[in-house]
Amino acid sequence: MPADASGQPCAIRDVLDWIGDQWSLLVLATLAPGVKRFSQLEREIGDVSKQMLSKTLRRLEQDGFVAREVHAEVPPRVEYRLTPLGMSFLEPMRGLIRWAEANQAAIAAARRVAT
Amino acid sequence: MPADASGQPCAIRDVLDWIGDQWSLLVLATLAPGVKRFSQLEREIGDVSKQMLSKTLRRLEQDGFVAREVHAEVPPRVEYRLTPLGMSFLEPMRGLIRWAEANQAAIAAARRVAT
């Protein structure tokens, strides 16, 4: 297993576990502005199923990126927000998104040449 | 579709096309230090099949991240290197890897609590 760009062999594969999952990134990006309820997340992400959104939220909760709060009301109000760990991930994620925006055209051009 | 962390709706999904593929990242990280031949890449990445490595290199070439040079020798010598686009991707990728290294323990701890 080669030393990756930073000399650490397995850090890449660990990162890919989450980042490879587009729903995780979309949930994190949607929670970036602040606390949201399930229905808000569903509406804002748009083309995600209830099952996929629940599964993604549960996994992000287990990995420590998202916190879930149940307010004792009738019916109970459930809210999701980013934890400090989740918030800390936004910066490298934004770096990736900025790179993607800046280079989308170059990649599209390369793909046209290749086809 | 929500505005993502940077306000762009589809940049995330485009980024995920490549980054979700662990072999792409491993090839890019392995090429970061400089020009490599197929057999070097195969040896350094370790657990990649010839087919997967060929397929990944072809896709990275099509997307403009990697350049392939054939030297007219007998037998022909084939070398791969990062293009400027490929090199420019290393920085956000390293940001991600640095984040992963710094937070791996926190994630592992969260997972233990969750299980």
Side-chain angles (χ1 to χ4, degrees), chain B residues 3-51:
Chain B
D4 58 33
S6 69
Q8 281 290 341
C10 64
I12 285 193
R13 302 207 178 194
D14 247 351
V15 168
L16 296 176
D17 277 353
W18 329 301
I19 206 146
D21 172 33
Q22 67 168 332
W23 299 117
S24 300
L25 282 190
L26 287 173
V27 167
L28 293 173
T30 311
L31 283 173
V35 177
K36 293 258 166 82
R37 299 177 65 170
F38 188 91
S39 51
Q40 284 174 291
L41 287 168
E42 215 181 351
R43 202 169 43 247
E44 290 189 29
I45 294 175
D47 57 351
V48 63
S49 69
K50 276 194 189 345
Q51 295 74 12

Side-chain angles (χ1 to χ4, degrees), chain A residues 18 21-28 31 38 41 45 48-66 80:
Chain A
W18 329 303
D21 171 35
Q22 67 169 333
W23 300 117
S24 300
L25 281 190
L26 287 173
V27 166
L28 293 173
L31 283 173
F38 188 93
L41 288 168
I45 293 175
V48 64
S49 70
K50 275 196 187 347
Q51 294 73 12
M52 180 53 79
L53 182 54
S54 306
K55 190 179 128 193
T56 302
L57 283 166
R58 216 173 17 256
R59 199 175 66 80
L60 288 171
E61 222 184 310
Q62 284 171 355
D63 285 0
F65 284 65
V66 166
Y80 297 90

Side-chain angles (χ1 to χ4, degrees), chain B residues 13-108:
Chain B
R13 302 207 178 194
D14 247 351
V15 168
L16 296 176
D17 277 353
W18 329 301
I19 206 146
D21 172 33
Q22 67 168 332
W23 299 117
S24 300
L25 282 190
L26 287 173
V27 167
L28 293 173
T30 311
L31 283 173
V35 177
K36 293 258 166 82
R37 299 177 65 170
F38 188 91
S39 51
Q40 284 174 291
L41 287 168
E42 215 181 351
R43 202 169 43 247
E44 290 189 29
I45 294 175
D47 57 351
V48 63
S49 69
K50 276 194 189 345
Q51 295 74 12
M52 180 54 78
L53 182 53
S54 306
K55 191 179 128 195
T56 303
L57 284 167
R58 217 171 19 253
R59 199 175 65 81
L60 288 171
E61 221 185 310
Q62 283 170 354
D63 284 359
F65 285 67
V66 166
R68 180 175 182 269
E69 272 167 71
V70 182
H71 298 273
E73 295 168 9
V74 180
R77 182 160 49 91
V78 179
E79 291 179 338
Y80 296 90
R81 60 177 172 71
L82 293 182
T83 61
L85 182 66
M87 295 292 279
S88 76
F89 184 67
L90 292 181
E91 193 32 45
M93 192 176 89
R94 287 188 177 124
L96 211 56
I97 291 168
R98 276 191 301 270
W99 181 88
E101 287 159 22
N103 292 285
Q104 269 180 353
I107 293 164

Side-chain angles (χ1 to χ4, degrees), chain A residues 5-24:
Chain A
S6 69
Q8 279 290 342
C10 64
I12 285 191
R13 302 207 178 193
D14 245 355
V15 169
L16 297 175
D17 277 354
W18 329 303
I19 205 147
D21 171 35
Q22 67 169 333
W23 300 117
S24 300

